[in-house]
């Protein structure tokens, strides 16, 4: 009901923004468009030196609202983003790609969230990863694998990463990693 109460068209450009926790973004272009109960929020920005583009739409013109989210990011220096968040040198020399396509319907935010369906993918390119991060990710199992693959892993701070891919399927509001990492 509230989305149908008025129409709105706002645009914003921000050269640099720093969020709580220290993560910074640049070149933010955002638009919030509300017309006859249909909300659209396209957004582009630069994070970690890479381009991010998202488009969120919410169609509240009907009794059951429909929401879609599309997200694409390329060339993001994941190590820089993590460093800005206080995880210095967690990952280095690695670029990331992200994509997501998610949709849902419902009469409330809770119903929409519980109905979410779609896919999300994170790809980290070649680089290096701090062994402490591997310990956090998998504990002793990672240590055993590293010992077999890289016998110097426990004496070196970093391990070489060829790539890492995480694919998530979202069904009924629950995201599950397909095929692990």
């Amino acid at each position: 009901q509230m989305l149908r109460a008025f129409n709105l068209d706002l645009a914003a450009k921000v050269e640099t923004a720093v969020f709580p926790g220290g993560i910074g973004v640049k070149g933010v272009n955002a638009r919030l468009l509300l017309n006859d109960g249909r909300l659209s929020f396209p957004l582009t920005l630069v994070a970690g030196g890479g381009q991010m583009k998202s488009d969120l739409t919410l169609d509240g013109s009907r009794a059951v609202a429909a929401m879609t989210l599309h997200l694409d990011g390329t060339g993001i220096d994941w190590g820089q983003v993590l460093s800005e968040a206080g995880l210095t040198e967690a990952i280095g020399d690695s670029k990331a790609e992200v994509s997501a396509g998610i949709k849902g319907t419902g009469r409330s935010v809770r119903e929409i969230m519980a109905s979410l369906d779609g896919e999300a993918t994170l790809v980290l390119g070649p680089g290096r990863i701090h062994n402490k991060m591997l310990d956090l990710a998998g504990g002793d199992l990672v240590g055993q694998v590293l010992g077999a693959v890289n016998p110097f892993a426990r004496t070196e701070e970093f391990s070489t990463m060829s790539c890492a891919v995480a694919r998530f399927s979202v069904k009924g509001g629950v995201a599950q990693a397909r095929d692990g990492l």
Side-chain angles (χ1 to χ4, degrees):
Q1 284 290 21
M2 190 167 182
L3 289 178
R4 291 180 252 161
F6 55 91
N7 293 332
L8 177 72
D9 189 351
L10 295 173
K13 290 185 179 189
V14 177
E15 187 173 323
T16 303
V18 179
F19 295 99
I23 295 176
V25 295
K26 296 179 180 185
V28 178
N29 285 304
R31 184 173 184 197
L32 184 64
L33 180 63
L34 179 59
N35 190 12
D36 295 329
R38 292 178 186 92
L39 176 85
S40 177
F41 183 58
L43 173 71
T44 60
L45 57 88
V46 174
Q51 298 290 321
M52 294 282 298
K53 180 180 179 181
S54 70
D55 192 10
L56 173 69
T57 59
L58 180 62
D59 186 351
S61 65
R62 300 172 294 165
V64 178
M67 191 249 0
T68 60
L69 171 66
H70 295 282
L71 172 71
D72 288 299
T74 58
I76 301 160
D77 184 334
W78 196 242
Q80 178 184 336
V81 172
L82 291 174
S83 179
E84 290 173 359
L87 297 170
T88 55
E89 295 188 354
I91 294 176
D93 308 322
S94 176
K95 301 286 184 178
E97 311 279 325
V98 296
S99 65
I102 300 171
K103 62 182 180 176
T105 58
R107 296 178 192 275
S108 66
V109 173
R110 180 181 175 160
E111 282 185 16
I112 292 171
M113 297 303 282
S115 75
L116 291 180
D117 287 318
E119 301 281 330
T121 304
L122 170 66
V123 178
L124 294 176
R128 55 193 180 94
I129 185 166
H130 200 289
N131 288 329
K132 286 181 187 176
M133 292 300 292
L134 291 173
D135 287 340
L136 290 174
D140 291 340
L141 174 63
V142 171
Q144 291 172 13
V145 170
L146 282 178
V149 173
N150 179 3
F152 302 105
R154 289 295 155 213
T155 59
E156 296 174 0
E157 274 188 279
F158 292 90
S159 290
T160 300
M161 174 178 62
S162 295
C163 72
V165 178
R167 290 188 178 101
F168 296 91
S169 291
V170 182
K171 298 253 186 243
V174 177
Q176 293 184 336
R178 290 188 346 222
D179 304 321
L181 180 65

